[in-house]
Every structure is written in structure tokens, then in C-alpha cells.
């Protein structure tokens, strides 16, 4: 991949896609395409084929997906399964049909079994039952991963999958009905601070542990993988550190400078009890995270507080 390569990023306005675009622009890549949904709706096969045929990209970062937090996944498993299957099938199959040889598909750490051995190796895939609260989304992502794997093995395409841990950061989704855990907590903490409310309510018990990665660190990993990975069909990308939801909430309260009580709703699901990835493969390619959780949370909180570079 060189500075003049034609690079297509799907989902270029989302959390992952927009970060890849920003990072490529900083690195002076000058042939970047990140079409809007109107220009290339991944659910419409003919539009996908027409757009790809027109620009003939050398590389595709397939970051476009239908995503949401635990509540959204629980309420809409049909949409999370069907929509993602349709989007990724259209893109991956058409890329092959139009002889595009390089494609990076974005999976998710939720593809791994609920009770995987920790830290989770890529070999844990399909060795146990999935977490029910996001099963639909996970199954769709597994299908996309396997489709890339088949094209890699049977047709010698350089199609592979990156499995990021929980992501957050600039251009995150703060919609109260579909956000993930960090933007959800930031939103509640910020409201409590501004309204002088002395209690915030969070789902679950607070005991579940999660690993978090700032979005720009993922973008760096994805770009590096596209350049260097010729060996692996699937690669984990995580920070190597985990934190309980309770301690995460305390940290965000401290960053906000607000002293509120945290009340959990233990009748609500925690999701997978623990998800810590083994990221040795990506680190062997020369990557390591550069943004600490504290620094990333400070930046994200300030973006939300100033209503800048976020989605609601």
C-alpha cells in the first residue's frame, strides 16, 4: 500500500471508518474514498458493484456495519443479524467478482465464546456458546470472518479479519438507545454534573470486566495490518488492560470532577463476564497501543462536553 494506492473505506462516517480516514490523511495518502450511504448503500448490491467498479480500489477497509450497545442488541437481534449479513456479503463477494485482492474486514471481540480462556486467543473461535445478549451480531460477524477466510484459502485473496476489543473515542455514538458502555456512562455523568444530580444509574452489577482501546490506536493497527499482514486470516487488537464497569464509572466521574453515587441495576444483564484479548499477533507486526485509558477518556469526555466530533 503506497501513497497513491486507491483506498476505499466503507462506513467512513462511523467511529472506526472516520478514524481510518483521519489517520490515512495524516499519513498523506491522497487517493482515499469514503462514500456516504447515498453514494454506496451496502444493502444495495447493484450500488455497491457500480461504485467499486467505478473507482477500482486497490484496498478496502470494510468498517461499515450496523452496531449498537447491549440493550439495542437484545431488542433487535433480527436487525443486527440480517442487516450485517447483507452488508458484508454484498461487499466481500463483489470485491472478489471485481478482482479486488486486498480487503480488511472488521469483526468484534463478541465473536468469542462467553466463557473463553483469558486472555482470548484467536483459536478460541467457535469453541463454546456465545453471549446471548449480542448473539445475532456475533453470528453475523463470524459469517463475514469465515467468508473472508474462504476467499483467502480457496482463491488466494488477501482477505482477512481484525478483531478489535471495545472501542471508544472521537466520533463515537452517544445516542442513549444505541450507544456502547463508555459513551453511555459519559453521557449520564455529564448530565448528572450539569444538573447537580448526586446519583447515576447503570445497567448490570458493575462486576463485568472489559478491555478498551482508543479508536485512533485501532486505526493505526488496521493500516499496519493492511501493509504487513500476509500470514494471518484473523488478528486480535486490544490494549492488554482490563477494568471493571464499576471502576470505569468511578474513573469517568473523577475525570468529570463530579462526586455522584453509582447505582447498578443487578436485574439487568452484564453480558460476557470478562473479555481480554491476546494481541500477540498484531504486536509481532510492530504495533502497540499509544493512548492510555485515562488519556483517551479525558479526550472523549471533553469532546462530548464541548459537543464536538461526536454523534448523537
Amino acid at each position: 500500500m503506497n501513497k497513491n494506492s486507491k483506498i476505499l473505506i466503507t462506513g467512513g462516517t462511523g467511529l472506526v471508518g472516520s478514524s481510518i480516514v483521519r489517520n490515512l490523511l495524516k499519513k498523506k495518502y491522497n487517493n482515499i474514498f469514503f462514500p456516504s450511504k447515498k453514494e454506496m448503500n451496502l444493502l444495495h448490491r447493484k450500488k455497491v458493484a457500480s461504485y467499486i467498479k467505478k473507482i477500482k480500489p486497490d484496498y478496502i477497509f470494510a468498517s461499515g456495519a450496523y452496531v449498537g450497545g447491549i440493550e439495542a442488541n437484545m431488542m433487535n437481534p433480527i436487525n443486527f443479524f440480517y442487516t450485517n449479513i447483507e452488508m458484508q456479503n454484498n461487499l466481500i463477494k463483489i470485491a472478489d467478482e471485481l478482482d479486488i485482492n486486498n480487503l480488511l474486514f472488521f469483526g468484534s471481540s463478541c465473536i468469542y465464546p462467553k466463557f473463553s480462556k483469558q486472555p482470548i486467543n484467536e483459536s478460541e473461535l467457535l469453541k463454546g456458546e456465545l453471549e446471548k445478549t449480542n448473539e445475532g451480531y456475533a453470528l453475523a460477524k463470524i459469517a463475514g470472518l469465515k467468508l473472508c477466510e474462504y476467499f483467502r484459502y480457496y482463491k488466494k485473496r488477501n482477505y482477512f479479519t481484525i478483531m478489535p476489543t471495545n472501542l471508544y473515542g472521537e466520533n463515537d455514538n452517544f445516542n442513549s438507545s444505541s450507544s456502547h458502555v463508555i459513551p453511555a456512562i459519559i453521557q449520564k455523568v455529564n448530565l448528572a454534573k450539569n444538573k447537580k444530580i448526586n446519583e447515576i444509574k447503570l445497567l448490570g452489577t458493575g462486576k463485568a470486566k472489559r478491555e478498551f482501546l482508543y479508536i485512533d490506536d485501532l486505526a493505526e493497527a488496521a493500516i499496519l495490518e493492511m501493509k504487513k499482514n500476509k500470514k494471518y486470516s484473523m488478528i486480535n487488537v486490544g490494549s492488554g488492560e482490563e477494568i471493571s464497569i464499576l471502576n470505569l464509572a468511578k474513573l469517568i466521574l473523577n475525570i468529570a470532577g463530579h462526586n455522584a453515587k453509582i447505582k447498578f441495576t443487578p436485574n439487568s444483564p452484564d453480558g460476557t463476564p470478562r473479555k481480554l484479548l491476546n494481541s500477540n499477533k498484531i504486536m509481532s507486526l510492530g504495533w502497540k497501543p499509544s493512548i492510555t485509558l485515562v488519556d483517551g477518556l479525558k479526550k472523549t469526555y471533553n469532546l462530548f462536553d464541548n459537543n464536538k466530533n461526536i454523534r448523537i
Side-chain angles (χ1 to χ4, degrees), residues 34 45 49 60-61 78 80 113 127 131 170 174 177 210 213 225 234 288 292 297:
F34 44 104
R45 196 178 195 282
I60 297 177
F61 289 88
I78 295 172
F80 280 93
K127 287 189 176 179
E131 161 60 35
E170 184 173 345
F174 284 82
S177 63
R210 293 291 180 268
L213 186 70
E225 286 187 27
M234 54 187 290
K288 63 179 180 179
T292 67
L297 288 174

Side-chain angles (χ1 to χ4, degrees), residues 24 60 80-81 115-116 146 151 185 197 255 259 277 291 302 305-306:
L24 287 171
I60 297 177
F80 280 93
F81 179 79
F115 299 109
S116 295
K146 283 296 180 181
F151 276 119
I185 295 176
I197 300 169
I255 288 168
N259 186 24
L277 299 182
I291 302 169
N302 289 333
D305 194 37
N306 294 303

Side-chain angles (χ1 to χ4, degrees), residues 144-283:
L145 179 157
K146 283 296 180 181
L147 184 58
C148 288
E149 188 177 281
Y150 297 151
F151 276 119
R152 186 180 188 86
Y153 183 79
Y154 290 103
K155 302 195 73 174
K156 308 306 177 185
R157 297 292 189 194
N158 186 35
Y159 293 3
F160 61 98
T161 302
I162 187 171
M163 257 77 58
T165 190
N166 297 66
L167 303 169
Y168 71 102
E170 184 173 345
N171 201 33
D172 211 337
N173 172 26
F174 284 82
N175 185 290
S176 59
S177 63
S178 60
S179 62
H180 289 98
V181 61
I182 284 181
I185 295 176
I186 286 177
Q187 187 179 53
K188 290 181 179 182
V189 167
N190 187 258
L191 177 64
K193 179 182 178 181
N194 292 336
K195 298 288 186 180
K196 295 181 170 55
I197 300 169
N198 62 7
E199 181 180 271
I200 62 168
K201 294 182 179 180
L202 301 177
L203 296 177
T205 65
K207 295 178 181 179
K209 292 183 177 180
R210 293 291 180 268
E211 176 187 31
F212 295 99
L213 186 70
Y214 193 78
I215 190 59
D216 287 351
D217 275 335
L218 176 71
E220 288 287 345
I223 293 167
L224 177 68
E225 286 187 27
M226 189 67 94
K227 290 179 179 178
K228 288 191 173 184
N229 177 48
K230 303 298 179 186
K231 182 178 179 181
Y232 304 117
S233 64
M234 54 187 290
I235 308 177
N236 289 338
V237 178
S239 65
E241 298 180 0
E242 60 183 349
I243 186 171
S244 71
I245 301 303
L246 172 59
N247 287 334
L248 174 68
K250 288 180 178 179
L251 185 54
I252 293 173
L253 279 166
N254 184 58
I255 288 168
H258 186 53
N259 186 24
K261 181 180 178 182
I262 304 167
K263 184 177 181 180
F264 286 96
T265 55
N267 290 332
S268 300
D270 276 328
T272 301
R274 190 181 177 206
K275 283 196 299 181
L276 179 65
L277 299 182
N278 182 327
S279 299
N280 287 344
K281 286 182 179 178
I282 180 63
M283 290 184 181

Side-chain angles (χ1 to χ4, degrees), residues 14-33:
L15 175 66
V16 175
S18 63
S19 182
I20 294 171
V21 171
R22 288 195 306 272
N23 277 266
L24 287 171
L25 289 173
K26 286 179 184 177
K27 296 177 189 297
K28 307 299 182 183
Y29 286 87
N30 52 36
N31 234 341
I32 305 170
F33 301 86

Side-chain angles (χ1 to χ4, degrees), residues 109-118 120 124-131 272 274-275:
S109 59
C110 72
I111 67 169
Y112 291 116
K114 181 173 182 176
F115 299 109
S116 295
K117 295 177 182 178
Q118 306 288 322
I120 307 171
E124 286 291 303
L125 183 67
L126 299 177
K127 287 189 176 179
E129 187 176 349
L130 296 169
E131 161 60 35
T272 301
R274 190 181 177 206
K275 283 196 299 181

